[in-house]
Amino acid sequence: MIKNFINLPIFKRVIPSIIKKLNIKDFNYNYKNIIFNLDLRYFVDRRFYLYGWDDDLINFLNHFIKEKKCDFFLDIGSCWGIYSLQIAKGNPLIKVFSFDVFEKNIKRLEYMAKINNMSNIETFNVAIGCSKKIETFSVNEHYSPNFSKDLNGKYKINVQQDLIDNLINIYNKRIAIKMDVERAEFEAIKGSKNLLKNNECLIIIETEPNSNAINLLCSIGYKIIENKLDTADIILSNYK
C-alpha cells in the first residue's frame, strides 16, 4: 500500500503528489471502525488518509463528552465530517449538529452517516454568523472544501447565513462545540450568545488568543482552559 511509505523522507513530498494525480474520487477508507468515503482529489481527504486529522483533539472531545455526559455536540464548520462522524460513533447517545457552507460537504457527511448506520447526526447546509442573509464564499482551488467569505477566490458559492440562536433552542444542557469557520469566529460567536449563555459548554475554537471572538467569550463567562499553540486551537469552558 502506497500509504506505508509516507514516513520515509524520500517519499514525503512525492506520495501526496502521486495520489493527487491518480484522480481517485470514490475511495472507502476504514479508520477507527468508520467507513470514510474519500475524494482524494481534495487536499483535506489526502491529508486525512495519509496522516490522520486532529486525533488529539477528537480523543480529548470523546473523553470530555463521556466524563461530562454531554447531551449535544455542535460541529460548526464541519467540512465533510471528520469530527462529526468520530464523535457520533464514539458517543451513540449524543445528538450531533453539523454545519457547513459547502453543499457537497454536507451531502458527503450525510452519505457517510448512512453507510455507517449513524442516526444521531443532523446536518445544516448554512453559514453561521450574526445576521440572516445571503453570503458569498469562495476558494482558490477547484478541489477544496474549505470555503471562506473573506477570500475573494476564483470559485464562488452563495450561501444562506443564519444564527445558531435561530436554528437551535437548547437550555440547561451540556454541550461540546468545535468551531472552525475560517476567520469568521467573532460573528459566529455573536450569533450564538443565547446558546452559550444558557448551557454549560466547552468550545474548541481556531483563532488567535487575543481575538475579538475570545474576548467576547470571556465577557459572557468563559475561561480559557488550554491554548494549543501547535494547532492554533483554543479551548474554553463555562462548566461549573
Side-chain angles (χ1 to χ4, degrees):
M1 184 185 290
I2 194 170
K3 181 181 172 182
N4 294 334
F5 297 97
I6 192 63
N7 291 321
L8 299 176
I10 193 172
F11 292 118
K12 275 194 172 181
R13 291 188 178 181
V14 175
I15 288 178
S17 296
I18 292 173
I19 291 175
K20 183 178 181 180
K21 289 178 180 178
L22 290 174
N23 204 37
I24 301 170
K25 57 184 177 180
D26 186 10
F27 175 65
N28 282 345
Y29 173 48
N30 193 311
Y31 183 72
K32 296 186 177 179
N33 295 316
I34 302 171
I35 298 170
F36 289 89
N37 183 251
L38 301 182
D39 185 339
L40 295 179
R41 298 172 299 177
Y42 285 75
F43 168 75
V44 171
D45 296 56
R46 292 195 302 275
R47 183 184 147 186
F48 173 69
Y49 171 62
L50 292 170
Y51 306 107
W53 194 289
D54 288 357
D55 281 351
D56 287 346
L57 283 174
I58 292 170
N59 290 338
F60 167 81
L61 277 169
N62 273 322
H63 177 78
F64 181 88
I65 287 166
K66 288 181 173 62
E67 180 184 353
K68 298 295 185 181
K69 297 181 174 60
C70 292
D71 305 287
F72 299 93
F73 173 64
L74 274 60
D75 192 355
I76 304 174
S78 64
C79 195
W80 44 260
I82 294 174
Y83 275 75
S84 291
L85 292 164
Q86 293 185 70
I87 298 299
K89 174 74 172 182
N91 306 275
L93 298 181
I94 202 170
K95 181 70 176 182
V96 176
F97 294 117
S98 305
F99 306 82
D100 201 82
V101 302
F102 189 26
E103 185 180 16
K104 185 173 181 180
N105 284 341
I106 292 296
K107 295 294 185 185
R108 289 181 62 194
L109 172 51
E110 290 172 345
Y111 173 71
M112 284 186 268
K114 182 178 180 180
I115 64 174
N116 285 284
N117 297 313
M118 295 179 186
S119 59
N120 55 336
I121 299 177
E122 183 175 347
T123 60
F124 299 80
N125 180 203
V126 65
I128 297 303
C130 57
S131 60
K132 187 170 183 177
K133 60 181 177 178
I134 301 296
E135 280 279 12
T136 299
F137 287 74
S138 65
V139 292
N140 281 318
E141 295 184 5
H142 180 53
Y143 295 114
S144 173
N146 296 326
F147 282 78
S148 172
K149 64 180 176 182
D150 68 351
L151 194 59
N152 194 28
K154 181 178 179 181
Y155 302 97
K156 294 179 170 59
I157 56 174
N158 292 320
V159 184
Q160 177 68 57
Q161 177 178 283
D162 209 337
L163 291 70
I164 285 287
D165 287 340
N166 285 345
L167 299 169
I168 298 176
N169 293 312
I170 301 172
Y171 296 90
N172 298 320
K173 298 295 184 181
R174 293 187 169 189
I175 303 173
I177 302 169
K178 185 273 289 180
M179 181 178 289
D180 182 2
V181 289
E182 305 294 337
R183 299 169 299 281
E185 297 84 11
F186 177 72
E187 293 85 355
I189 294 295
K190 193 175 178 182
S192 310
K193 285 175 71 175
N194 287 339
L195 179 136
L196 292 166
K197 286 180 178 180
N198 295 321
N199 298 278
E200 288 187 289
C201 301
L202 174 127
I203 180 168
I204 299 176
I205 183 170
E206 185 173 321
T207 188
E208 297 296 325
N210 295 316
S211 68
N212 290 332
I214 297 299
N215 292 335
L216 179 55
L217 282 167
C218 291
S219 74
I220 58 173
Y222 282 75
K223 295 182 179 179
I224 295 175
I225 61 173
E226 187 168 356
N227 185 354
K228 298 180 74 64
L229 297 176
D230 56 332
T231 63
D233 290 295
I234 299 174
I235 305 175
L236 304 95
S237 174
N238 70 344
Y239 273 76
K240 296 182 178 65

